[in-house]
Amino acid sequence: MQVQVNTDKAITHDVNLENHVESVVRSALERFGEQVTRVEVHLGDNNSSHKSGPNDKRCMMEARVAGIPPIAVTDQAGDLHQAITGASGKLVRALDTAIGKRSDVKHNTPVADLVQPDPVDD
């Protein structure tokens, strides 16, 4: 899985931040194995670096999974680490839902096959 980290101009993009993001993403998504091919992470500061406020750090994650459209989630928190952790949790739940629906479609028996015809009295 490829993890790409992007930041806005108010966030300092350094190796430590990139390593932290990659560690959190890989740990959260490890059970999906090779199904997730790429995750793009966008980090931002809603109020810029000159002001602070509640929930002003934003983390958007977009996962690419073969066979389904990209899945994107966003979390806002008081600091980047909380936003990254929150977004990774949301992404796991979104992937569970999307991959689960795809599996259900592949493995479900059509409803018409489940309905038994009423016996016909002659």
Side-chain angles (χ1 to χ4, degrees):
M1 164 184 14
Q2 179 186 8
V3 179
Q4 181 180 353
V5 180
N6 303 295
T7 59
D8 69 10
K9 62 184 177 185
I11 304 292
T12 303
H13 188 141
D14 62 15
V15 172
N16 292 331
L17 178 62
E18 196 154 323
N19 289 340
H20 174 70
V21 170
E22 188 163 341
S23 172
V24 169
V25 170
R26 287 188 185 282
S27 176
L29 303 182
E30 69 184 340
R31 67 187 179 97
F32 295 103
E34 297 298 316
Q35 291 178 301
V36 178
T37 57
R38 184 175 75 192
V39 177
E40 289 187 34
V41 180
H42 300 272
L43 303 172
D45 186 338
N46 292 337
N47 294 333
S48 80
S49 60
H50 303 299
K51 299 187 284 184
S52 66
N55 298 331
D56 72 330
K57 303 298 188 260
R58 178 184 42 79
C59 177
M60 192 280 290
M61 292 186 182
E62 181 180 288
R64 303 288 177 142
V65 180
I68 61 175
I71 297 167
V73 297
T74 302
D75 193 62
Q76 292 187 179
D79 68 50
L80 277 177
H81 294 284
Q82 290 174 339
I84 293 164
T85 302
S88 67
K90 287 180 179 183
L91 187 57
V92 167
R93 290 188 297 278
L95 286 167
D96 275 338
T97 300
I99 292 172
K101 284 182 181 178
R102 183 176 72 176
S103 294
D104 287 347
V105 168
K106 285 183 176 179
H107 296 104
N108 273 353
T109 305
V111 175
D113 292 348
L114 298 175
V115 177
Q116 298 294 327
D118 291 332
V120 178
D121 291 330
D122 286 71

